[in-house]
Amino acid sequence: ARYHPRAGHKDQLRMAPNIRSTQQGIDPMTSGSIPHPQGKKGRILSGIQPTGNLHLGNYLGAIRNWAAMQTDYQCLFCIVDMHAITIWQEPAELARATREVAAGYIAAGLDPATNTLFVQSHVPAHAQLAWIFNCVARMGWLNRMTQFKDKAGKNREAASSGLYVYPNLMAADILVYKATHVPVGEDQKQHLELARDIAQKFNNDYGIELFPLPEPVIQGPGMRVMSLRDGTKKMSKSDPSAYSRINMTDSEDDIAQKIRKATTDPEPLPGTVEGLENRPEASNLLNIYAALTDRTLAEVLVETEGWQFSQFKTRLTEAAVGVLGPITAEMQRLMADPAEIDSILKRGADSANEIASAVLKEAYSAVGFLPSDR
Ligand code: TYM
């Protein structure tokens, strides 16, 4: 079905309506110069910023779900270093953290032989498509982004302009591969809605069925891991308190100590999900436990009903150490051989570039840029 652009909308401020499942007649499996491989359910693109340490939220909200999807989908997993510098990063530390995220991906089970693992700045088409999207996305859309408001804080005048247009680059990360599915934690939902709006507006404005609308995949008890100090705040790399998060590189002792110090309330654990209402810290620790043991919250509550926190924290520590211990050890092994990591990332960039440059070419042509290879 041909997609008919609506008239008079090119500079609209209104968010495009969120169309859940219509793909505008685009078959992302076959459209464009690089179709998805046979037998796959779609193409995944997701990424993590190399800022600070990878933490349990990154693992349970993102990487673990990626690992579970890697056989059914064609997958590209990116280390988004260009996003990282929207806030100041020490250069040597950025380079170290970029390799550490790669090590985390591999140690957590992403197979570099079958998935494309790469660094964002190694694929110039991300930035090139992002420029077009700077011209597609409306200021009004960006003004609604809560992450910008959170990160810029009170002094917006001092925030980098990159931080403001960050969601346009994120849309380019996804759409430059015509990705169909984007598995992320819940905090990225608004950015993904924007990516869908950008895809739709680009298609409308240029009257072309170029970009499929990517589906967010946000699921499981780990989609929103909260701070160990305050159950109403997200676990995050930028929290000044080291006790607020468990890092993927923490030792067993660190993990045990952080869980022991985690904020709780005075009540024993309830037997039902309803019993967790207004108990953010208890909810968070139980959700983490459910995610780590691959169960639902309700299933976990059957086990822990009536427990005191001391007993539960011992059990939670065992679960966390059991899952993270082997990953941490493997990360350390990989980090000892940076040349090996670099060669995996180089291979990843080569295959990412192949898809991205073909899609960029289609976008350039749609926009009316003269071909450069004539
Ligand atoms: P970033 O680097 O903040 O986080 C990486 C991934 O981890 C998830 N996550 C969490 N999940 C559950 N609980 C938490 N406390 C938690 N903290 C982080 C995030 O949801 C994310 O999935 N803008 C993105 C990076 C990005 C991206 C992309 C993602 C850039 N381009 C394209 C997907 C597709 C970000 O800052 O994630």
Short mmCIF file of all heavy atoms in Angstrom, two decimals, residues 259-260 289 307-320:
data_model
loop_
_atom_site.label_atom_id
_atom_site.label_comp_id
_atom_site.label_asym_id
_atom_site.label_seq_id
_atom_site.Cartn_x
_atom_site.Cartn_y
_atom_site.Cartn_z
N ILE A 259 24.17 -4.52 49.38
CA ILE A 259 22.83 -5.05 49.67
C ILE A 259 22.54 -4.95 51.17
O ILE A 259 21.44 -4.59 51.58
CB ILE A 259 22.69 -6.50 49.14
CG1 ILE A 259 22.73 -6.47 47.60
CG2 ILE A 259 21.39 -7.14 49.65
CD1 ILE A 259 22.64 -7.83 46.93
N ARG A 260 23.56 -5.22 51.99
CA ARG A 260 23.36 -5.10 53.44
C ARG A 260 22.95 -3.68 53.81
O ARG A 260 22.10 -3.47 54.65
CB ARG A 260 24.64 -5.50 54.17
CG ARG A 260 24.37 -6.14 55.51
CD ARG A 260 25.61 -6.69 56.21
NE ARG A 260 26.54 -7.37 55.34
CZ ARG A 260 27.82 -7.00 55.16
NH1 ARG A 260 28.32 -5.97 55.76
NH2 ARG A 260 28.62 -7.68 54.35
N TYR A 289 15.35 -9.29 42.72
CA TYR A 289 15.46 -10.73 43.01
C TYR A 289 14.71 -11.54 41.94
O TYR A 289 15.21 -12.56 41.44
CB TYR A 289 14.92 -10.99 44.41
CG TYR A 289 15.03 -12.42 44.87
CD1 TYR A 289 16.24 -13.12 44.79
CD2 TYR A 289 13.92 -13.08 45.41
CE1 TYR A 289 16.34 -14.43 45.23
CE2 TYR A 289 14.01 -14.40 45.86
CZ TYR A 289 15.22 -15.07 45.76
OH TYR A 289 15.31 -16.37 46.18
N TRP A 307 9.16 -13.12 55.39
CA TRP A 307 10.58 -13.02 55.73
C TRP A 307 10.91 -11.62 56.27
O TRP A 307 10.32 -10.62 55.85
CB TRP A 307 11.47 -13.25 54.49
CG TRP A 307 11.52 -14.66 54.00
CD1 TRP A 307 10.67 -15.69 54.33
CD2 TRP A 307 12.46 -15.20 53.06
NE1 TRP A 307 11.02 -16.83 53.65
CE2 TRP A 307 12.13 -16.56 52.86
CE3 TRP A 307 13.55 -14.67 52.38
CZ2 TRP A 307 12.85 -17.39 51.99
CZ3 TRP A 307 14.26 -15.49 51.51
CH2 TRP A 307 13.92 -16.84 51.34
N GLN A 308 11.90 -11.59 57.16
CA GLN A 308 12.51 -10.31 57.55
C GLN A 308 13.52 -9.94 56.47
O GLN A 308 14.03 -10.80 55.75
CB GLN A 308 13.25 -10.45 58.89
CG GLN A 308 12.37 -10.85 60.05
CD GLN A 308 11.31 -9.81 60.37
OE1 GLN A 308 11.53 -8.61 60.18
NE2 GLN A 308 10.15 -10.26 60.84
N PHE A 309 13.83 -8.64 56.41
CA PHE A 309 14.79 -8.19 55.38
C PHE A 309 16.16 -8.86 55.53
O PHE A 309 16.83 -9.13 54.54
CB PHE A 309 14.94 -6.67 55.40
CG PHE A 309 13.89 -5.99 54.57
CD1 PHE A 309 12.80 -5.37 55.17
CD2 PHE A 309 13.98 -5.98 53.19
CE1 PHE A 309 11.83 -4.76 54.41
CE2 PHE A 309 13.00 -5.37 52.42
CZ PHE A 309 11.93 -4.76 53.03
N SER A 310 16.58 -9.12 56.77
CA SER A 310 17.92 -9.70 56.95
C SER A 310 18.01 -11.05 56.22
O SER A 310 18.98 -11.31 55.50
CB SER A 310 18.22 -9.86 58.44
OG SER A 310 17.17 -10.59 59.05
N GLN A 311 16.99 -11.87 56.37
CA GLN A 311 16.97 -13.17 55.71
C GLN A 311 16.91 -13.00 54.19
O GLN A 311 17.66 -13.63 53.43
CB GLN A 311 15.74 -13.95 56.19
CG GLN A 311 15.65 -15.36 55.60
CD GLN A 311 14.36 -16.07 56.04
OE1 GLN A 311 13.49 -15.50 56.70
NE2 GLN A 311 14.23 -17.34 55.65
N PHE A 312 16.05 -12.07 53.76
CA PHE A 312 15.90 -11.83 52.32
C PHE A 312 17.19 -11.28 51.70
O PHE A 312 17.59 -11.69 50.60
CB PHE A 312 14.74 -10.86 52.08
CG PHE A 312 14.62 -10.44 50.64
CD1 PHE A 312 14.38 -11.37 49.64
CD2 PHE A 312 14.77 -9.10 50.27
CE1 PHE A 312 14.29 -10.99 48.31
CE2 PHE A 312 14.69 -8.72 48.94
CZ PHE A 312 14.45 -9.66 47.96
N LYS A 313 17.85 -10.39 52.42
CA LYS A 313 19.07 -9.80 51.86
C LYS A 313 20.17 -10.85 51.67
O LYS A 313 20.96 -10.76 50.73
CB LYS A 313 19.56 -8.66 52.76
CG LYS A 313 18.76 -7.37 52.58
CD LYS A 313 19.32 -6.28 53.47
CE LYS A 313 18.77 -4.91 53.09
NZ LYS A 313 19.36 -3.85 53.93
N THR A 314 20.22 -11.81 52.56
CA THR A 314 21.20 -12.89 52.40
C THR A 314 20.91 -13.65 51.10
O THR A 314 21.81 -13.93 50.30
CB THR A 314 21.12 -13.86 53.60
OG1 THR A 314 21.27 -13.10 54.79
CG2 THR A 314 22.19 -14.93 53.53
N ARG A 315 19.64 -13.95 50.89
CA ARG A 315 19.23 -14.70 49.70
C ARG A 315 19.48 -13.87 48.43
O ARG A 315 19.93 -14.36 47.41
CB ARG A 315 17.74 -15.05 49.86
CG ARG A 315 17.13 -15.92 48.84
CD ARG A 315 17.72 -17.33 48.84
NE ARG A 315 17.50 -17.93 47.52
CZ ARG A 315 18.38 -17.91 46.53
NH1 ARG A 315 19.57 -17.37 46.69
NH2 ARG A 315 18.08 -18.45 45.37
N LEU A 316 19.16 -12.57 48.53
CA LEU A 316 19.35 -11.68 47.37
C LEU A 316 20.84 -11.58 47.01
O LEU A 316 21.21 -11.58 45.82
CB LEU A 316 18.78 -10.28 47.69
CG LEU A 316 18.93 -9.20 46.62
CD1 LEU A 316 18.22 -9.60 45.32
CD2 LEU A 316 18.38 -7.86 47.12
N THR A 317 21.68 -11.49 48.03
CA THR A 317 23.13 -11.41 47.79
C THR A 317 23.60 -12.66 47.06
O THR A 317 24.37 -12.57 46.09
CB THR A 317 23.89 -11.24 49.12
OG1 THR A 317 23.41 -10.06 49.76
CG2 THR A 317 25.38 -11.14 48.89
N GLU A 318 23.14 -13.83 47.52
CA GLU A 318 23.54 -15.07 46.85
C GLU A 318 23.14 -15.05 45.38
O GLU A 318 23.90 -15.43 44.49
CB GLU A 318 22.85 -16.28 47.50
CG GLU A 318 23.42 -16.69 48.83
CD GLU A 318 22.47 -17.63 49.60
OE1 GLU A 318 21.46 -18.10 49.01
OE2 GLU A 318 22.75 -17.87 50.78
N ALA A 319 21.91 -14.58 45.13
CA ALA A 319 21.42 -14.56 43.75
C ALA A 319 22.25 -13.59 42.90
O ALA A 319 22.65 -13.90 41.77
CB ALA A 319 19.94 -14.17 43.72
N ALA A 320 22.54 -12.40 43.46
CA ALA A 320 23.28 -11.39 42.70
C ALA A 320 24.71 -11.87 42.42
O ALA A 320 25.21 -11.75 41.29
CB ALA A 320 23.31 -10.07 43.47
#
